Amino acid sequence: MIELRTPGELEAMRAAGAVVADMLAAVRAAAAPGVRLTRLDAVARDVLAAAGATSPFLGYAPAATTPPFPGVVCLSVNDVALHGVPSPDVLGDGDLLSVDAGATLDGWVGDAAITFPVGTPRPEDLSLVATAERALEAGIAAAVVGNRVGDVSAAIGAVGRAGGCGINTDQGGHGVGRTMHEAPHVPNEGRAGRGVPLRPGLVIAIEPWFLAGGSDDYRVDADGWTLRSADGSRAAHVEHTVAVTEDGPRILTLPL
């Protein structure tokens, strides 16, 4: 079932989204060579606590066979594309780090992600991140009344393919509201004019994740969470929670 949100509910979601923006900013500021991933998770927890918010990530288990997620952020390094578990691993100079964060505030959820180099950037990493960010911008621009989910997917996929990236549609964007994952699914590639109509009040997480090697294949580690490129190439993941409104797309995960 797809639910549409009222203007007042969008304001409440905007508050939750601002907490997410603060989490991402704090983790980015703390990330440096020599810093443990567990330290970055602790930084994000402090932001949640100060805001009186909770994490939709912590303890999340989408299936009975999936172990509960142990952190409040996903921290994905280099060839890890999604769902990296906060571990005692130490960041190195030149690592590429993706941070996916969520917050629940007053019963409403925000969800967003960023990718950035740690320490000395590699030009090819900057190009990959720029491609993902352009795809996010294209997907958001397509999130207008009268379009369909396929228009968002097609816009994302066109940018990714033009950049030579691998794209997999098993994992992608999704509805957001009272819970982190709601209908509809928003793939990162698709056919324009297809799928669920975009109506005022629909809120979706738009989240391109691209694989630098060009292959669409991935593998999942034994922990049941960590998703890596199959060819070992680096990955980038960026995301915003976006509301479809009569006045155009409204990003709900920006700082206040």
Side-chain angles (χ1 to χ4, degrees):
M1 180 179 177
I2 296 174
E3 297 190 40
L4 304 178
R5 307 303 177 186
T6 67
E9 290 172 337
L10 293 183
E11 287 301 318
M13 293 190 70
R14 175 77 179 90
V19 177
V20 176
D22 291 344
M23 293 171 71
L24 293 174
V27 171
R28 182 167 193 160
V35 174
R36 295 187 185 275
L37 298 181
T38 46
R39 171 59 188 155
L40 298 182
D41 186 70
V43 167
R45 289 173 189 249
D46 288 344
V47 174
L48 284 169
T54 59
S55 170
F57 290 17
L58 185 62
Y60 180 67
T65 56
T66 307
F69 193 78
V72 302
V73 285
C74 298
L75 299 170
S76 304
V77 182
N78 296 335
D79 65 321
V80 179
L82 298 172
H83 309 152
V85 175
S87 70
D89 291 348
V90 174
L91 290 170
D93 186 48
D95 279 348
L96 186 64
L97 176 63
S98 297
V99 184
D100 189 359
T104 303
L105 183 67
D106 297 328
W108 297 100
V109 175
D111 186 9
I114 56 175
T115 298
F116 56 92
V118 176
T120 308
R122 302 185 351 172
E124 57 269 36
D125 288 344
L126 295 178
S127 178
L128 175 64
V129 172
T131 298
E133 290 176 344
R134 286 197 304 272
L136 177 58
E137 291 171 0
I140 292 171
V144 296
V145 175
N147 273 358
R148 292 177 176 265
V149 164
D151 294 294
V152 176
S153 300
I156 293 169
V159 174
R161 293 301 183 190
C165 298
I167 304 172
N168 192 290
T169 57
D170 290 349
Q171 307 278 342
H174 48 86
V176 184
R178 290 289 188 180
T179 61
M180 180 169 56
H181 291 137
E182 299 183 355
H185 176 53
V186 185
N188 285 322
E189 193 169 36
R191 296 180 62 182
R194 300 294 182 91
V196 173
L198 303 183
R199 297 190 172 95
L202 176 66
V203 180
I204 53 176
I206 299 175
E207 52 177 315
W209 61 279
F210 293 161
L211 307 174
S215 170
D216 300 344
D217 296 331
Y218 66 87
R219 61 185 177 86
V220 180
D221 284 1
D223 61 18
W225 282 107
T226 305
L227 187 156
R228 299 178 184 271
S229 62
D231 59 9
S233 64
R234 293 191 170 195
H237 174 213
V238 293
E239 176 185 15
H240 271 305
T241 298
V242 180
V244 179
T245 80
E246 293 285 7
D247 298 322
R250 182 184 180 192
I251 301 174
L252 301 179
T253 40
L254 294 172
L256 288 178

